[in-house]
Amino acid sequence: MAKNFKILRENEYCRIALINDGIHVLKKDSDEVSSLSVAFDDKLHIALGWDLQTYREVLCMSRAPVFFGNRRESKDKQKSNFKIVRISAWPSARFIDVGFMQCTNGIISGLVADEDLLEDQQYLKCCKLPSLLTSIPDTGNVLETAFRKVQEMFPGAEIRSHTQTEYTMEIFFTVERMPVKLGFTRFEEQQKYVISGFQLDN
């Protein structure tokens, strides 16, 4: 049983809850974890479609050792990019970049996990691995494998279409009524496709 449980905010897709002092994303109509939720820390889950100001507010209500930093805006100021930074207090205070977030007109529209976390043993001991840190082998039926990966990562995803070039692949799908795009980038020397992030299909 959770020590504390409180619904902080909700929108048309899902709800943000404070559970044991951490921010979690739940389904709209139940207390199950939302398929749109991505863990960047065991106390910080982020979902697409929320306005950044809401996340800043709920972050202040939690004890998540995380902040959003280094804002960069596009020339037209419609898109902004932020680092997702975790504050580690052991063995000594340090800042760990755990991912990146893109906002379009103040709405969270893109999330990327930092692959360097795969090499950070101390981080892996303390936190769950973000679901975006994954890859698929570059085989003859790579598209079919990518479709399975989408449905594994985002339960209930309904695949709508895809695009594919020699080095990139994008899969467009809907999950919990939200349109989403998942991008794969091919690394020839490693013979695999790596997920580069996922974002709202605008």
Side-chain angles (χ1 to χ4, degrees):
M1 179 66 73
K3 182 173 65 177
N4 56 47
F5 180 101
K6 183 179 181 181
I7 299 298
L8 301 178
R9 300 285 191 279
E10 61 179 270
N11 66 9
E12 59 181 307
Y13 304 113
C14 49
R15 301 177 296 163
I16 297 178
L18 186 68
I19 302 175
N20 292 337
D21 299 320
I23 297 170
H24 296 260
V25 183
L26 307 179
K27 291 184 177 180
K28 176 72 173 178
D29 52 2
S30 78
D31 291 339
E32 295 178 14
V33 175
S34 169
S35 299
L36 291 164
S37 180
V38 176
F40 286 92
D41 180 88
D42 55 356
K43 290 187 178 293
L44 177 67
H45 293 198
I46 299 179
L48 297 172
W50 286 91
D51 62 280
L52 180 63
Q53 184 56 35
T54 294
Y55 255 93
R56 289 192 185 284
E57 290 171 4
V58 297
L59 203 55
C60 292
M61 300 177 194
S62 76
R63 292 188 179 177
V66 176
F67 66 90
F68 305 139
N70 283 11
R71 177 179 180 177
R72 298 192 315 276
E73 286 187 335
S74 60
K75 288 183 179 179
D76 60 9
K77 297 190 176 182
Q78 289 187 341
K79 294 186 183 295
S80 301
N81 293 288
F82 299 83
K83 281 184 178 182
I84 304 170
V85 183
R86 182 178 187 272
I87 305 168
S88 173
W90 191 92
S92 59
R94 63 185 179 126
F95 299 111
I96 304 170
D97 294 344
V98 296
F100 302 89
M101 178 172 61
Q102 182 181 82
C103 294
T104 304
N105 294 323
I107 303 297
I108 299 171
S109 60
L111 295 168
V112 181
D114 192 324
E115 287 188 52
D116 289 343
L117 290 177
L118 291 171
E119 307 299 325
D120 189 330
Q121 294 304 311
Q122 188 57 47
Y123 178 85
L124 297 181
K125 285 179 185 177
C126 299
C127 303
K128 296 176 182 177
L129 205 63
S131 61
L132 292 181
L133 288 176
T134 188
S135 63
I136 61 171
D138 184 6
T139 60
N141 54 353
V142 65
L143 185 60
E144 182 181 328
T145 305
F147 284 168
R148 284 200 304 270
K149 177 59 71 174
V150 167
Q151 292 170 327
E152 172 190 314
M153 290 173 61
F154 302 99
E158 298 179 10
I159 295 171
R160 293 158 43 200
S161 61
H162 76 280
T163 64
Q164 190 173 5
T165 66
E166 185 177 358
Y167 291 104
T168 63
M169 179 167 49
E170 294 176 338
I171 298 178
F172 303 87
F173 58 98
T174 302
V175 60
E176 294 184 22
R177 302 193 304 275
M178 175 176 278
V180 175
K181 176 176 70 175
L182 186 65
F184 296 80
T185 302
R186 182 173 180 261
F187 288 85
E188 196 165 359
E189 66 278 4
Q190 300 173 24
Q191 296 188 335
K192 67 180 181 180
Y193 282 80
V194 176
I195 291 179
S196 56
F198 74 103
Q199 63 187 45
L200 198 63
D201 175 15
N202 290 321

